Each structure stands twice: as structure tokens, then as C-alpha cells.
């Protein structure tokens, strides 16, 4: 079989140029990987900041609910005493049934506010648990 000099020359040129093209591909992949790494770092930092904000908001909501609890609880106690007193006045003929109903309505409204605040407090605790990485499923 005769040796073809053109074929040998093409093989030689191909062998010499292959590393040049590979070097360009390697540089391009390196730049892509570098940009991807920077993007992932920025996303990580943003995720940490978002998580910190969620924890702070949930803790603030818990604190607000806790502070309101004492107020609503005291309001219910006072309005309950007022309702009992108004009922006793009605029994002695010193107050009308309408006054008893008004006192009872005020008490119920305060109890609903207290229950709503307790619900908000529970929601805040759940949000805090989730923000701290608690089970989301």
C-alpha cells in the first residue's frame, strides 16, 4: 500500500491544531463555570438574607401577639365582671335587659378579639418554625 503524503500532512495538521481548538473550548468552559459560580454565590447570599428576614418577621409577629395577649385577657376579665354586675343590677330592678345584652355583646366582642389574637400568635409560631427550617411537608 503506497503512502499518501497529503494524508500524512492532513493528519499532522489535525494533530497540531486540535490542542489549539481544545484550549479555546477549555477557556470558554472556564469562563462559563466562573460566571455560574458567581451567580450561585449571589443566589446563596440572597437566600440567607431572605431567610433572616423571614425569621425576623415571624419573631416580631410572635412578640406582638404575646404583648397583645395580656391586654385582651385583661379586657375580657373586666368586661366579664361588668356583665355579671349588670346582670345583678337587672335582678334587683336597677338595670334593663337591654343593658345586660349590651354588656354581654361587649364581652363577646372582647372574647372574639382575644381568640383572634391567639390564632395570630399560633400562626406566627408556625411561620417562625417554618422560617427556621421546620418541616414544610
Amino acid at each position: 500500500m503506497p503512502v499518501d503524503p497529503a494524508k500524512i500532512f492532513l493528519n499532522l495538521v489535525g494533530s497540531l491544531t486540535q490542542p489549539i481548538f481544545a484550549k479555546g473550548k477549555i477557556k470558554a468552559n472556564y469562563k462559563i463555570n466562573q460566571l455560574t459560580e458567581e451567580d450561585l454565590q449571589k443566589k446563596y447570599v440572597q437566600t440567607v438574607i431572605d431567610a433572616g428576614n423571614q425569621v425576623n418577621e415571624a419573631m416580631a409577629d410572635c412578640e406582638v401577639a404575646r404583648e397583645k395577649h395580656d391586654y385582651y385577657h385583661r379586657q375580657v376579665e373586666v368586661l366579664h365582671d361588668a356583665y355579671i354586675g349588670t346582670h345583678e343590677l337587672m335582678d334587683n330592678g336597677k338595670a334593663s335587659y337591654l343593658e345586660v345584652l349590651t354588656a354581654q355583646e361587649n364581652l363577646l366582642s372582647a372574647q372574639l378579639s382575644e381568640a383572634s389574637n391567639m390564632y395570630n400568635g399560633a400562626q406566627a409560631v408556625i411561620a417562625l418554625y417554618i422560617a427556621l427550617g421546620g418541616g414544610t411537608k
Side-chain angles (χ1 to χ4, degrees):
M1 178 171 228
V3 177
D4 185 9
K7 200 173 192 181
I8 294 175
F9 179 72
L10 287 175
N11 281 341
L12 181 63
V13 169
S15 299
L16 293 174
T17 58
Q18 187 176 5
I20 295 171
F21 292 124
K23 182 179 178 188
K25 185 177 179 182
I26 290 171
K27 278 186 177 181
N29 284 339
Y30 176 74
K31 285 202 178 251
I32 290 170
N33 288 338
Q34 211 173 18
L35 293 173
T36 302
E37 181 183 356
E38 289 174 12
D39 185 48
L40 291 174
Q41 286 175 346
K42 288 177 184 176
K43 286 180 182 177
Y44 174 77
V45 169
Q46 188 59 47
T47 300
V48 170
I49 290 170
D50 291 345
N53 287 339
Q54 288 176 353
V55 169
N56 283 339
E57 288 174 15
M59 287 179 64
D61 291 345
C62 287
E63 183 65 21
V64 166
R66 188 186 63 76
E67 289 172 358
K68 286 182 178 180
H69 175 74
D70 292 336
Y71 168 76
Y72 285 124
H73 186 71
R74 181 69 183 133
Q75 184 182 29
V76 167
E77 287 177 344
V78 168
L79 290 173
H80 184 264
D81 291 344
Y83 166 71
I84 297 296
T86 306
H87 203 282
E88 289 175 3
L89 287 173
M90 185 190 77
D91 289 344
N92 293 321
K94 306 281 184 189
S96 69
Y97 187 63
L98 183 61
E99 291 172 311
V100 173
L101 288 177
T102 301
Q104 191 174 24
E105 180 183 16
N106 292 337
L107 173 60
L108 178 61
S109 177
Q111 288 171 331
L112 288 173
S113 294
E114 182 181 31
S116 176
N117 183 63
M118 290 172 67
Y119 175 80
N120 291 339
Q123 288 294 100
V125 169
I126 291 168
L128 178 60
Y129 179 73
I130 291 170
L132 291 172
T136 56
K137 287 188 176 184

